[in-house]
Amino acid sequence: MPDVMKTLLLNPPSFENFDGGASSRWPATREIESYWYPVWLTYPAGMIPGSRLLDASPAKINWQQTVEICKNYEFLVLFTSTVGFESDVKLIRKIKEANPSLKIAFVGPHGHIKPDETLNASQDIDFVTRGEFDHSVVEYAHGKPLSEILSVSYRKDGKIVHNAERPQLHTEDLDALPFATDIYKRDLKIENYNVPFLLHPFVSFYTTRGCPALCTFCMWPQTISGHAWRTRSTENVAREVKQAIEYFPQMKEIFFDDDTFNIRKDRVLDLCGKFKPLKFRWSSTARVHSDYETLKGMADAGARLFIVGFESGDAQILKNIKKGATVEMARTFMKNCRKVGIRVHGDFIIGLPGETRETIQKTIDFAKELDCETIQVSLAHAMPGTELHDSMAKQGFLKVEALADSGGHQLPHIEYPHLSKAEMMGGVNRFYDEYYFRPKVVWRIVREALWDSNERKRLYHEAVDFLKLRSERWKWVREGGDIDKPMIAVPAPPSASGND
């Protein structure tokens, strides 16, 4: 077998402040500059000797610098997203002009859903991966021919070939992967990663893959990670936690970025038993299913905050999106989180199937009743590969030309006969205004910054960014939602050929 190819794993530069892939569940230019870790890319990076993981946007590395860096490599693994895809195709053209012999693979949900379209978009792409790509790109870097690599799509004799699917990784396989934190230590600077509701600096990685929940809008379980819930052993997770604590003494907390961390009570409590002696702070994703005993065990083991997708305060909308949770469950969960002292960052979505002017206000009122520490309000986006995308396309509700504007900011691309895109964007703005401009919430935020100079600086910059975008959004609403320069076309629904 030939020598290992000199490999660069790239989360590419794109729009300013664009958090576009490699673990971002919501690829977009952020309202407030923030970046998630490129966790998916760390695993092959740890298995390919001499490789480098380049996360361009957080490192402030631009197109020109990326092209220069790529001159020194033989194989490029690029994580693309639907919103950033056109930009990525233009980037690799420049890269190939500078390094014609470079081999290029596109990985991530976009290529998984649309392998044919992805390959046809550029002759510069040598192959596309489908599903989990950890071992596919590693095998190629080690010299294995494409014809023998599972879950890849590539061109052969003018036709596109789709190799057989690779079995998903389960506990033994996941435990055998390198630790993401090894690659953070080698290639990244943890201070570059900022998420407003997490302590800074933080480190994040996964303890599981997949999610058994059936939420129709959620991209990852419907694309590369799947609905089968697969776990690392609790011993393996605890070892990586210990390593992270040793590697990064400046770290304020660990974030467990699983699709849903708290699905199974016995595993959560087993992890908590191993976390407690380590005396560290951590946060995680969570669904509203955990009971008081589980939440108390998590709090005692250092849990500080949960990210929870409440989505809507309307019971029928929750049924429409197959959330598998109720409004009453959310109320009970929040009460128990308060009792044990765990904060909650609540995620809400405007524009899901069944949305009306009345349900928007109902969700705003529900959010104020829950009174999470912080919230994020998003427009419903039917990402390609999701059940929501297929149903919205079938019903003719994907009316708008663009997923994002020329700066990578997400725009409403779903429009209902009874609810315009401008009304939905106005609902997002009103949601933030009604929630955050309450005196008790203002005081809660300011109080945090009074005793911490770093928090004061961060709060100031975030407030400036947020108010600027708020103004632009209200202008967009007043002008009726016109888009000057749509960037990202809404892809057609998947074909029934079985190749997607």
Side-chain angles (χ1 to χ4, degrees), residues 431-443:
F431 202 133
Y432 276 125
D433 286 359
E434 287 195 31
Y435 193 88
Y436 276 119
F437 293 154
R438 294 178 293 157
K440 72 173 181 178
V441 177
V442 172
W443 168 240

Side-chain angles (χ1 to χ4, degrees), residues 1-7 47-51 74 138 140-143:
M1 186 172 284
D3 292 336
V4 178
M5 299 173 79
K6 193 173 182 185
T7 303
M47 291 187 282
I48 302 173
S51 70
E74 300 170 286
V138 171
Y140 186 78
H142 280 84

Side-chain angles (χ1 to χ4, degrees), residues 348-400:
F348 299 88
I349 301 176
I350 297 294
L352 293 166
E355 194 79 274
T356 63
R357 297 176 189 86
E358 292 72 30
T359 59
I360 290 173
Q361 189 58 51
K362 190 174 184 180
T363 299
I364 294 172
D365 293 339
F366 177 61
K368 290 193 285 188
E369 176 195 340
L370 293 178
D371 198 31
C372 303
E373 197 74 20
T374 52
I375 62 166
Q376 179 173 332
V377 186
S378 304
L379 292 159
H381 266 72
M383 299 300 289
T386 63
E387 183 180 339
L388 180 63
H389 180 277
D390 294 352
S391 66
M392 292 293 96
K394 187 175 181 180
Q395 294 175 69
F397 295 148
L398 293 184
K399 299 283 189 181
V400 186

